[in-house]
């Protein structure tokens, strides 16, 4: 090898080493615990593992995130409280149980708010999402990104839901959130708010007749073992939020903060991709595992949609005109209305 080439090669190698060295110099040895309410085989697991690998790679191995699956560190509400106090570093709950702290988030739980994932992405990743994220530091939380839980469908152990009257008298577990409670009361069900970690046993012991969740959670939580009927209501879209303790966040360098945000977005994109790619196959799998799946005739869906419109009026005061205005305005813009 010519001397000049040798020197050039050495210079490139040295520059690479210096970059790696300076990169790891911007990072301290960090070990973060992340609480997830879903199992590792749920699409949230794909996203979380992507985020874990990203943080390791970008920090020269210094930033370690350890996931704890299936509510091991507590359910959405209790794990989020632990993150607020700084005893857990990260948590990825649904937004629904957070309305106790940030009532404006309730707008995201309104029935039939979003028609497509694309609408949800644009609202959550745009100015509306930023509006909600800006309210979280005041309660000790930093939102790194919105992830996908998905469109929610109703399951129960008593009967297929083919029309609104079929909800009558059903004891339906809902998330601990006034909008979900109101929606299922309007449908004629007996809405039972309950933490996610208690749902399987409540269904198994018939404490409740049914619940509602996206296909991925019905599958990964094995609800098909204790639920006969899956009715394709697609009655709301739920988002997850990748939350960090503000106490921990404030102690990080700008580079560490930027890395966590970038890796949460990498994880988000992976999670949404897997979630959407697997949806059809997951539904087929639920049928193969014995669930009786039914569509709801369009005329009956129209009656259901019509019946729950009043929830928007009921909840508007609690949610607040500003939050309602921002989200409805964004949806009008996206829909070209
Ligand atoms: C998981 C929960 C779950 C939610 C629920 O932590 O409670 O039904 O759909 O995703 O957030």
């Amino acid at each position: 090898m010519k001397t000049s080439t040798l020197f050039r090669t050495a210079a490139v190698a040295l520059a690479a080493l210096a970059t790696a060295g300076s990169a790891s110099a911007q990072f301290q040895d960090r070990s973060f615990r992340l609480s997830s309410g879903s199992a590792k085989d749920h699409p949230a697991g794909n996203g979380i593992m992507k985020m874990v690998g990203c943080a390791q790679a970008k920090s020269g191995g210094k930033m370690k995130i350890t996931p704890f699956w299936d509510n091991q560190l507590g359910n959405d509400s209790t794990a989020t409280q632990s993150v607020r106090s700084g005893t857990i570093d990260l948590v990825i709950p649904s937004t629904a149980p957070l309305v106790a702290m940030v009532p404006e988030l309730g707008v995201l739980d309104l029935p039939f708010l979003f028609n497509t994932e694309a609408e949800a992405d644009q609202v959550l990743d745009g100015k509306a999402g930023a509006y909600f994220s800006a309210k979280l530091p005041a309660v000790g939380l930093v939102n790194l990104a919105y992830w996908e839980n998905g469109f929610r469908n109703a399951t129960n152990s008593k009967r297929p839901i083919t029309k609104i009257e079929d909800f009558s008298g059903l004891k339906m577990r809902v998330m601990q959130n006034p909008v979900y409670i109101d929606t299922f009361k309007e449908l004629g069900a007996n809405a039972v708010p309950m933490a996610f970690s208690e749902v399987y046993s409540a269904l198994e012991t018939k404490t409740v007749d049914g619940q509602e969740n996206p296909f991925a959670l019905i599958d990964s939580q094995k609800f098909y073992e204790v639920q006969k009927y899956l009715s394709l209501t697609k009655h709301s879209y739920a988002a997850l939020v990748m939350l960090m303790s503000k106490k921990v966040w404030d102690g990080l360098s700008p580079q560490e903060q930027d890395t966590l945000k970038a890796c949460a977005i990498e994880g988000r994109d992976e999670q949404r991709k897997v979630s959407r790619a697997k949806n059809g196959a997951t539904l087929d799998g639920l049928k193969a595992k014995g669930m009786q799946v039914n569509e709801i005739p369009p005329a009956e869906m129209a009656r259901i949609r019509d019946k729950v419109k009043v929830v928007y009026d009921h909840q508007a005061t609690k949610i607040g005109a500003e939050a309602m205005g921002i989200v409805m305005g964004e949806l009008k813009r996206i829909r070209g209305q």
Side-chain angles (χ1 to χ4, degrees):
M1 185 188 284
K2 283 195 308 188
T3 312
S4 59
T5 310
L6 191 63
F7 273 118
R8 216 174 17 257
T9 308
V12 168
L14 277 173
L17 272 176
T19 311
S22 67
S24 61
Q26 292 159 4
F27 296 89
Q28 291 180 35
D29 281 318
R30 304 282 189 183
S31 193
F32 298 132
R33 297 194 304 160
L34 188 162
S35 175
S36 171
S38 59
K40 185 173 183 179
D41 66 358
H42 181 274
N46 299 77
I48 287 168
M49 294 319 290
K50 183 85 173 178
M51 181 176 171
V52 168
C54 170
Q56 283 264 28
K58 288 181 184 286
S59 66
K62 293 209 169 181
M63 190 180 281
K64 294 180 183 61
I65 301 173
T66 305
F68 292 82
W69 309 102
D70 252 337
N71 297 295
Q72 285 173 55
L73 299 183
N75 59 54
D76 282 6
S77 300
T78 54
T80 300
Q81 292 312 323
S82 301
V83 169
R84 291 179 73 189
S85 67
T87 50
I88 300 177
D89 307 285
L90 293 150
V91 63
I92 177 165
S94 289
T95 60
L98 305 180
V99 294
M101 293 181 290
V102 182
E104 294 87 348
L105 279 168
V107 64
L108 299 177
D109 303 311
L110 289 168
F112 303 105
L113 179 72
F114 296 125
N115 295 325
T116 63
E117 288 99 346
E119 284 186 356
D121 293 355
Q122 290 179 71
V123 168
L124 294 169
D125 299 347
K127 76 174 197 180
Y131 167 82
F132 297 117
S133 294
K135 293 185 175 299
L136 290 169
V139 292
L141 299 166
V142 175
N143 179 24
L144 302 180
Y146 292 89
W147 289 27
E148 174 160 284
N149 194 342
F151 279 104
R152 303 177 76 90
N153 297 278
T155 68
N156 81 91
S157 55
K158 289 209 178 233
R159 52 182 173 266
I161 293 168
T162 63
K163 56 188 181 304
I164 196 165
E165 289 77 10
D166 294 334
F167 279 106
S168 180
L170 279 183
K171 289 178 286 184
M172 289 294 285
R173 177 270 174 179
V174 295
M175 289 192 280
Q176 296 149 307
N177 170 293
V179 179
Y180 278 90
I181 294 167
D182 192 4
T183 298
F184 279 83
K185 274 185 179 166
E186 280 303 321
L187 290 170
N190 172 0
V192 181
M194 182 186 296
F196 188 62
S197 48
E198 295 157 32
V199 176
Y200 185 95
S201 56
L203 294 169
E204 190 177 35
T205 56
K206 301 277 189 283
T207 308
V208 293
D209 302 314
Q211 65 85 45
E212 43 82 51
N213 250 295
F215 303 148
L217 276 175
I218 296 168
D219 187 48
S220 63
Q221 297 299 319
K222 300 186 173 21
F223 290 157
Y224 53 83
E225 292 174 347
V226 288
Q227 296 280 265
K228 174 76 185 149
Y229 304 102
L230 166 54
S231 304
L232 303 184
T233 51
K234 203 176 176 185
H235 53 273
S236 68
Y237 175 90
L240 302 173
V241 272
M242 179 56 79
L243 299 175
M244 179 162 235
S245 168
K246 187 174 182 302
K247 283 183 182 169
V248 177
W249 176 263
D250 289 346
L252 303 179
S253 70
Q255 293 84 358
E256 289 173 319
Q257 292 177 347
D258 292 347
T259 295
L260 271 171
K261 279 222 168 179
C263 293
I265 286 169
E266 254 192 55
R268 174 199 71 189
D269 294 345
E270 176 72 7
Q271 193 264 342
R272 286 173 175 174
K273 184 180 70 163
V274 171
S275 176
R276 292 160 195 180
K278 284 179 71 174
N279 226 19
T282 304
L283 178 58
D284 292 342
L286 292 171
K287 290 173 185 171
K289 288 164 184 166
M291 292 198 87
Q292 185 179 309
V293 179
N294 73 283
E295 303 266 357
I296 298 174
E300 292 306 331
M301 271 314 297
R303 291 181 66 221
I304 288 172
R305 281 174 170 265
D306 212 41
K307 187 71 173 64
V308 297
K309 271 189 186 139
V310 70
V311 173
Y312 284 62
D313 300 333
H314 291 168
Q315 300 298 323
T317 310
K318 232 177 286 175
I319 291 167
E322 194 178 44
M324 293 289 284
I326 286 178
V327 171
M328 300 310 166
E330 280 291 87
L331 281 171
K332 278 198 171 77
R333 177 185 63 78
I334 292 163
R335 293 167 180 167
Q337 289 167 349

